[in-house]
């Protein structure tokens, strides 16, 4: 479904104008139905990679294939990302309009879907249905973001991501700011949604525990370089020193 070949991403420093290479020759693929974890410490290039995957950031070099199309090479192919990829961000408070109700937040995605498919959709019933899917009910429809807990608001963000009927959802540190109990609830929800809607997940995180709970493959990213890609069931056989270090930190905790 997704293939990145020799992706590089450079940024110009605001201090001295020098070029900083954030991603260095990144090559990997994601198959349909995967839950691929991209694991690395802060500054490893994870969020930059997320923005390339969803179409917000054109790489400096390399090729990105999505469903055998090249969204960054041909403008006509860029549409394939907006129609098939959603994202759930880490900061659920700033990723929603604080003046929107829960109904309006989720309806945005349904409006996009209706425009794309040219099909008339009963927005209210659809929003209600997606709230049910993420474990909320109609009593939340008229609430504003500040009236929700962190876990409730992140569920709304997940409902919004699913409501556009994507094939892929990217989670950029989407549970790291939640408490441990809520994290488990959200991960259980994600497992259910992946199965129910036949979704492919890319789970960007620095939390190895979440990776082993939710994902089937893990990619270790360090200073913009892929150190190793493993099946989660083989994570104990990691060969990269960086991967071993991250695993050892979790074991020691």
């Amino acid at each position: 479904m997704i293939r990145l070949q020799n992706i590089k991403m450079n940024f110009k420093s605001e201090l001295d104008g020098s070029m900083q290479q954030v991603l260095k020759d990144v090559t990997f693929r994601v198959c349909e139905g995967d839950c691929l974890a991209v694991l690395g410490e802060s500054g490893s290039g994870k969020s930059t990679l997320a923005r390339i995957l969803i179409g917000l950031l054109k790489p400096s070099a390399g090729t990105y294939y999505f469903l055998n199309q090249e969204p960054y090479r041909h403008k006509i192919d860029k549409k394939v990302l907006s129609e098939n990829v959603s994202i759930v961000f880490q900061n659920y408070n700033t990723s929603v309009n604080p003046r929107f109700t829960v109904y309006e937040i989720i309806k945005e995605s349904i409006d996009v879907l209706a425009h794309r498919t040219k099909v008339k959709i009963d927005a209210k019933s659809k929003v209600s249905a997606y709230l049910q899917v993420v474990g909320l009910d109609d009593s939340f429809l008229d609430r504003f973001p500040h009236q929700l807990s962190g876990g409730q608001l992140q569920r709304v963000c997940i409902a919004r991501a699913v409501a556009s009927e994507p094939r892929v959802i990217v989670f950029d540190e989407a549970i790291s700011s939640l408490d441990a109990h809520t994290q488990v609830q959200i991960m259980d929800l994600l497992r259910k949604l992946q199965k129910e809607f036949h979704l492919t997940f890319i789970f960007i995180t620095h939390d190895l525990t979440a990776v082993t709970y939710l994902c089937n493959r893990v990619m270790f990213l360090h200073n913009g370089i892929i150190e190793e890609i493993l099946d989660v069931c083989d994570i104990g056989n990691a060969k990269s020193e960086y991967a071993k270090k991250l695993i050892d930190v979790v074991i020691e905790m």
Side-chain angles (χ1 to χ4, degrees):
M1 178 174 280
I2 293 172
R3 182 160 58 95
L4 277 71
Q5 191 73 38
N6 306 119
I7 293 292
K8 299 178 177 65
M9 191 68 232
N10 303 323
F11 293 105
K12 182 179 283 190
S13 170
E14 295 181 357
L15 295 175
D16 57 12
S18 62
M19 296 303 293
Q20 179 185 8
Q21 195 170 33
V22 176
L23 295 177
K24 308 165 187 176
D25 205 30
V26 168
T27 297
F28 68 95
R29 63 179 61 205
V30 182
C31 297
E32 188 168 6
D34 269 350
C35 180
L36 173 69
V38 181
L39 186 68
E41 298 166 309
S42 297
S44 61
K46 303 188 305 298
S47 291
T48 297
L49 179 60
R51 281 153 179 75
I52 290 173
L53 289 169
I54 64 174
L56 290 181
L57 194 60
K58 183 179 180 179
S60 305
T63 309
Y64 177 19
Y65 298 94
F66 187 91
L67 298 175
N68 294 319
Q69 298 181 59
E70 297 182 52
Y72 286 113
R73 183 162 295 180
H74 308 294
K75 284 187 178 179
I76 195 170
D77 290 348
K78 192 74 178 285
K79 191 177 176 185
V80 74
L81 293 182
S82 62
E83 292 181 349
N84 289 284
V85 184
S86 290
I87 186 165
V88 179
F89 291 102
Q90 174 182 11
N91 194 328
Y92 38 82
N93 286 303
T94 59
S95 66
V96 298
N97 188 327
R99 295 184 176 87
F100 277 16
T101 63
V102 167
Y103 171 75
E104 292 169 321
I105 291 167
I106 301 173
K107 183 177 178 289
E108 277 190 306
S109 288
I110 292 169
D111 288 343
V112 169
L113 177 64
H115 177 74
R116 185 176 90 217
T117 59
K118 312 297 184 195
V119 173
K120 188 174 181 180
I121 299 174
D122 181 350
K124 185 147 190 187
S125 65
K126 275 287 189 182
V127 171
S128 177
Y130 281 115
L131 277 180
Q132 295 287 336
V133 163
V134 299
L136 302 175
D137 58 40
D138 287 357
S139 67
F140 288 86
L141 284 170
D142 296 323
R143 297 192 197 182
F144 290 91
H146 73 272
Q147 296 174 311
L148 305 177
S149 69
Q152 289 169 344
L153 185 52
Q154 195 63 307
R155 286 173 185 266
V156 170
C157 292
I158 292 167
R160 177 180 61 181
V162 176
S164 64
E165 297 186 2
R167 297 181 65 174
V168 178
I169 301 180
V170 177
F171 297 88
D172 188 7
E173 300 280 10
I175 64 170
S176 62
S177 56
L178 302 172
D179 64 78
H181 177 67
T182 307
Q183 283 185 9
V184 173
Q185 290 182 326
I186 294 295
M187 286 190 289
D188 284 339
L189 170 63
L190 294 180
R191 291 168 77 170
K192 172 190 164 189
L193 292 178
Q194 185 180 26
K195 185 176 181 180
E196 183 175 346
F197 293 98
H198 309 289
L199 294 165
T200 299
F201 287 167
I202 299 174
F203 199 77
I204 292 172
T205 184
H206 61 269
D207 183 355
L208 185 61
T209 305
V211 170
T212 55
Y213 192 84
L214 184 64
C215 301
N216 66 305
R217 295 172 63 227
V218 56
M219 180 173 82
F220 293 90
L221 189 66
H222 179 51
N223 290 334
I225 297 171
I226 296 176
E227 294 277 348
E228 193 165 2
I229 301 176
L230 293 167
D231 289 341
V232 167
C233 60
D234 292 328
I235 205 166
N237 299 320
K239 295 180 173 60
S240 157
E241 290 303 318
Y242 178 72
K244 289 178 182 177
K245 183 184 82 169
L246 292 185
I247 294 165
D248 288 344
V249 167
V250 173
I251 292 172
E252 288 170 5
M253 291 172 64

